[in-house]
Amino acid sequence: MNKRSLGLVGVLMIACLIVSWFVFRQANQFIGTNAFNALPNASPVILRIGNTLGFSGKLNDSELWKSFVKLPVGKQIDSKVKIVDSLLVNNQTARSLFKGRPLFLSLNKVGKDEMSIQGTFGFESITELKMVKDILRTAIKHSHLSLEKKRYDGYPVWTILSPDKKPIVYLSFNHGVFIFSDHDIFIEQMIRQLIQKDLSNENIFKTLTLKSKQPRDVKIFLNHKKTNDLILMAFCGRFKKGISKTKHFAKVSELGVRIENHAIILDGISMEEATKRDLMSVLEGQKPMRSLMIRELPSSVSYASTVRLSSKDVFQSNYKRFLIKNHQYDKLHMRQMSVKKKYGFEPFEIFYHVLGRELGIIYTQSNRLDEQQNRFFWLDINNVSDSRKYMLGVAKKVEQIVGKDRFNADPLNYSLVNGKRLKVYRSPDRQFCGHVLGHLFGSVETKYYCFYKSFMLFASSPQALVNLVNQFNNSKKLVDTDLYQHYGATVNHYTSFSMFMRPRKFIPFWKDNIHRDTYKWLEVEDKTLMKFTAMGWSMYYDEGTLHHEGRLTFDPEFCDEPSKVWTVKLDAPYNGKIFTVEDHSIDSEYRILVQDEDNGFYMFSKDGVLLWKIPLDGPILGKVKMVDYYRNKKVQYLFNTSRSIYLLDKNGNNVDHYPVKLTNEAVTGLSLFSYDNGLQKRVFVPVQNKEIEVYSLTGDRIQGWSTQPLISNIVGPIQHFEVGKKDYIVYSDNEKTYMVDRRGRVRNDAIFYFKRSQQNPFFLEEDLPNLSSHIVTSSSDGMVYRLFFDGSLRHVEMVHMSNLHKFIPEDIDLDGKSEYIYVDHNKMSIYDKNGSLEHQKRLTLSKLNVVKVVHVSPNNLKLGILGDENREIHWLDEDGSEMSGFPLYGRYNFVTGRCGTDYNKLDLISGDENCNIFKYEVN
């Protein structure tokens, strides 16, 4: 059986299906033997399922199980479950036999990378053997399986063969116990144990006394001297090495499992060796406490673990004892002494001086490109001022030893979202955690640190710390989320250790530590994995016993909140010019174009990989247009600065004849129009001196165009509409709007006298009854104007708006009728086309808002609003309700991107004031 098959339930069901009356015909009749002892000695994991029939029924009613069977392995198991269920449901004899009867299973490693499962099932009387015959005849008749018989030490062993004659399972009946396994070597071992009346399993776990008022569906017994053999099969890399060194976590454990519809609840105890060699003994003498850090954690964390110490002295003594007994102390001590010899300080002295009563690790999900940017070590400290002074003193000594060019002890200053400043310090030890606590914390780089409230935060870079503190300050708290509160209602908060993780957010950062096949399976089944929303675990030590409580939560309807998946740093601050574009060389993907304040122009892949960077002669005006310059189905990118028109290929190279130098400076972005079914293309550029320059796509100036006499330079974009086979080019100055033909001549005396809103374009409107096609826009005070192609003008009275309002006609509720959407300062309003208010929502916005309609899917539109002063991105429904997980942080602008037609995910890209561009994944 494959090591990742999770076949516990499958074997349970096979046990009922495969037992043949031939097995019992020559069996020795020993009734009442303890089936627990028949399992292979020293098995890493043993499970006791208290009610075989009830457990099967509970699984079939569980939403968790219904989702599990969608996985590849789950489908295989479910096919067996359905066969057995049909037997149990239709056979009253079977139901009476299996009802309330326990089944024992054990897991063992076979060879290098396989896991085997064994099972035992005991009978109480010879009469029960006769009852089983009717069940077995029916099972064999309908299973299309076959039996092959052999003997071991005189006892019959049967092999159940699949229709293609491959062994499925081996089974036998001895001393009143039915035994089975998917490997014949374990069948032989179990027969030997029954003959010898071996009580090894009973003796190993006899010290456990797990008690609970809650009934359990399954009990799990762990022999920790062997469990690592199984755990390590799913891991690789640094984490595998770390796990291998925690072999002595405890002597044995017993966990009780209760399966609910949307959760698995666990509680249990662990016992240590008398020698105090086990890791759990490190918590001896520590009084359980509530966590300080857990109250501060943002909801965006993917993993957090905390260790709480009521006594630092006891912890130091216990940890040293643990390391000595496991022959690890000398190596760690040598590393500490090496640091002291080289830099003049001992890491543990720093740790002991600044530590208060709590320490731990945090994982966020802000940069998949560099997993170190998501890992943080933190300490609760007694006194911030004293710790800052102490750490700075240590850093100054290091600076003197190695030189200021290699180590600068002066703090770095960074801006936070809330306007405050954050000081980030260079850590004197980049592997501080590993030097102090060994392999348990050694994966976190501690090159920099900062202070937040009563905590020291360590990370691999200053920007990682800035990102984390911004999340602390601005994100919803983890303890306020439903995910954590469900867990919190289950466990005791006074503990010595606790862990909380969101599997789907956390697992991607362990890609290099999870076995390749396992990770590949997780990636394929991402949608199912996402429904496992949270896992929490807590422990505390009491009189030689470690007490456990845990919960795995499952939600079949869960839609994960947006998460930041990568961050990249520009060479200069981001200036708000950001675009998503297509690339003909990649299928169903997108690229990201962005500009910085030094006019550097970048292209990134959707995964944040820099593809190229080129210099421009100024900031981009308007938008980037995609064109097929050579008419060969390859894309190029057209845009302008105030001085030039650029046309770039996908590699960032200028296309022939470009850039084109403008005669006059441009005042806004260019417009690209297609005439004659796309055979002719024209580029219109509004420039100084109240003019419009017109170019062909080859970069040649077009003669014969005449700009109407203007009162001011062009405001807003120039737009083109084709109605009734006629071209209408529309543009405005500060007082009038002009509707002209290809040469610039006014059509139908269509000059409209009103002060147009500079923030909003024209929209074509064709769906109003009793009105011909027309274009619609808003005036500077928010009034709706309808401009007809025959030169007539109508307006709709609206509530007064500021001249910075945003106006968008859109069928936001998808009822077939467009609405008028207004966003003005801190208010979002939706009107019908007659001017009647339908919805209104007040938000924390700003005067300058970026407003976009976001097509989440064909049947789902959102209104995206970025309030730049508050740096928040909102996604709203038509009634103003906000999508879960919003608002998100963003600055200046935002864009969206999607790969293909996957409507389960949409990417949102924005930036900040610290030269960063980042991507959120919205599910």
Side-chain angles (χ1 to χ4, degrees), residues 574-612:
Y574 155 64
N575 72 352
K577 299 298 181 179
I578 186 168
F579 315 92
T580 49
V581 294
E582 297 174 2
D583 180 345
H584 59 266
S585 64
I586 54 174
D587 210 14
S588 302
E589 290 192 12
Y590 64 90
R591 301 299 197 199
I592 302 163
L593 294 172
V594 63
Q595 190 179 29
D596 66 27
E597 290 183 357
D598 289 344
N599 299 321
F601 193 42
Y602 308 72
M603 175 177 273
F604 295 96
S605 74
K606 69 178 180 61
D607 297 315
V609 177
L610 177 63
L611 302 177
W612 49 257

Side-chain angles (χ1 to χ4, degrees), residues 432-488:
F432 178 57
C433 306
H435 290 157
V436 172
L437 299 171
H439 60 273
L440 294 178
F441 293 84
S443 62
V444 180
E445 286 190 358
T446 54
K447 295 169 63 176
Y448 295 88
Y449 69 90
C450 69
F451 294 92
Y452 173 78
K453 294 188 176 180
S454 63
F455 304 102
M456 280 184 70
L457 307 173
F458 293 84
S460 63
S461 74
Q463 191 58 51
L465 291 170
V466 172
N467 291 338
L468 181 63
V469 174
N470 276 331
Q471 292 178 57
F472 274 122
N473 287 331
N474 300 287
S475 297
K476 183 179 180 180
K477 299 300 182 185
L478 178 65
V479 293
D480 295 328
T481 63
D482 291 340
L483 290 178
Y484 188 84
Q485 289 180 357
H486 289 155
Y487 161 70

Side-chain angles (χ1 to χ4, degrees), residues 91-138:
N91 193 309
Q92 187 59 42
T93 303
R95 296 181 63 83
S96 62
L97 176 64
F98 291 109
K99 185 176 182 180
R101 192 64 61 85
L103 172 74
F104 292 90
L105 299 172
S106 63
L107 310 179
N108 278 276
K109 184 178 179 182
V110 181
K112 187 176 181 179
D113 61 355
E114 285 193 54
M115 184 175 67
S116 175
I117 300 181
Q118 305 80 45
T120 67
F121 196 96
F123 293 99
E124 297 177 354
S125 68
I126 296 177
T127 303
E128 290 185 348
L129 302 181
K130 298 177 181 178
M131 293 171 59
V132 121
K133 292 180 180 179
D134 293 335
I135 305 169
L136 301 176
R137 289 192 185 99
T138 303

Side-chain angles (χ1 to χ4, degrees), residues 535-798:
M535 178 178 179
W537 197 274
S538 65
M539 296 185 290
Y540 69 91
Y541 187 97
D542 183 29
E543 297 181 356
T545 303
L546 193 67
H547 297 263
H548 305 265
E549 291 179 318
R551 179 187 179 101
L552 175 62
T553 305
F554 172 87
D555 186 350
E557 304 298 326
F558 183 73
C559 184
D560 204 358
E561 293 183 351
S563 58
K564 189 186 290 184
V565 294
W566 55 252
T567 302
V568 294
K569 200 171 189 67
L570 306 180
D571 295 334
Y574 155 64
N575 72 352
K577 299 298 181 179
I578 186 168
F579 315 92
T580 49
V581 294
E582 297 174 2
D583 180 345
H584 59 266
S585 64
I586 54 174
D587 210 14
S588 302
E589 290 192 12
Y590 64 90
R591 301 299 197 199
I592 302 163
L593 294 172
V594 63
Q595 190 179 29
D596 66 27
E597 290 183 357
D598 289 344
N599 299 321
F601 193 42
Y602 308 72
M603 175 177 273
F604 295 96
S605 74
K606 69 178 180 61
D607 297 315
V609 177
L610 177 63
L611 302 177
W612 49 257
K613 177 192 174 185
I614 62 170
L616 301 179
D617 63 8
I620 295 174
L621 303 178
K623 298 180 179 181
V624 174
K625 314 287 186 180
M626 290 182 289
V627 300
D628 183 357
Y629 179 79
Y630 296 107
R631 298 184 180 179
N632 59 358
K633 297 183 179 180
K634 294 184 178 180
V635 69
Q636 294 82 36
Y637 312 112
L638 179 72
F639 59 91
N640 70 289
T641 65
S642 62
R643 301 176 185 177
S644 308
I645 303 174
Y646 287 85
L647 184 61
L648 304 179
D649 66 17
K650 70 183 186 67
N651 297 315
N653 300 316
N654 289 307
V655 174
D656 300 340
H657 314 301
Y658 283 89
V660 173
K661 295 297 181 181
L662 295 169
T663 306
N664 297 291
E665 286 195 3
V667 295
T668 187
L670 60 80
S671 299
L672 177 66
F673 304 149
S674 294
Y675 301 144
D676 304 328
N677 295 319
L679 295 178
Q680 294 188 53
K681 295 186 184 295
R682 295 291 181 261
V683 179
F684 284 67
V685 184
V687 297
Q688 296 285 359
N689 301 325
K690 307 175 187 178
E691 287 291 335
I692 299 172
E693 295 182 5
V694 184
Y695 296 84
S696 68
L697 194 56
T698 58
D700 299 318
R701 183 79 178 267
I702 298 297
Q703 303 301 319
W705 166 266
S706 177
T707 306
Q708 292 296 315
L710 302 176
I711 295 174
S712 67
N713 286 325
I714 297 291
V715 297
I718 302 174
Q719 293 177 251
H720 170 252
F721 300 92
E722 186 176 349
V723 179
K725 297 184 179 181
K726 291 184 178 181
D727 296 295
Y728 296 85
I729 297 170
V730 186
Y731 58 89
S732 303
D733 59 24
N734 281 334
E735 298 292 339
K736 295 178 287 185
T737 294
Y738 306 83
M739 190 178 288
V740 302
D741 63 14
R742 295 184 187 184
R743 293 184 173 274
R745 297 171 298 194
V746 175
R747 285 190 180 276
N748 301 323
D749 296 324
I751 300 178
F752 306 99
Y753 293 82
F754 68 96
K755 192 170 184 179
R756 175 189 167 193
S757 166
Q758 299 183 19
Q759 307 297 318
N760 300 296
F762 296 101
F763 300 90
L764 183 63
E765 199 166 63
E766 299 179 296
D767 61 346
L768 287 179
N770 304 319
L771 289 179
S772 60
S773 298
H774 56 273
I775 57 175
V776 64
T777 190
S778 67
S779 64
S780 60
D781 60 359
M783 186 177 298
V784 172
Y785 278 88
R786 292 172 179 153
L787 289 65
F788 291 84
F789 296 105
D790 63 2
S792 60
L793 178 69
R794 300 186 187 183
H795 69 270
V796 180
E797 294 285 349
M798 307 293 289

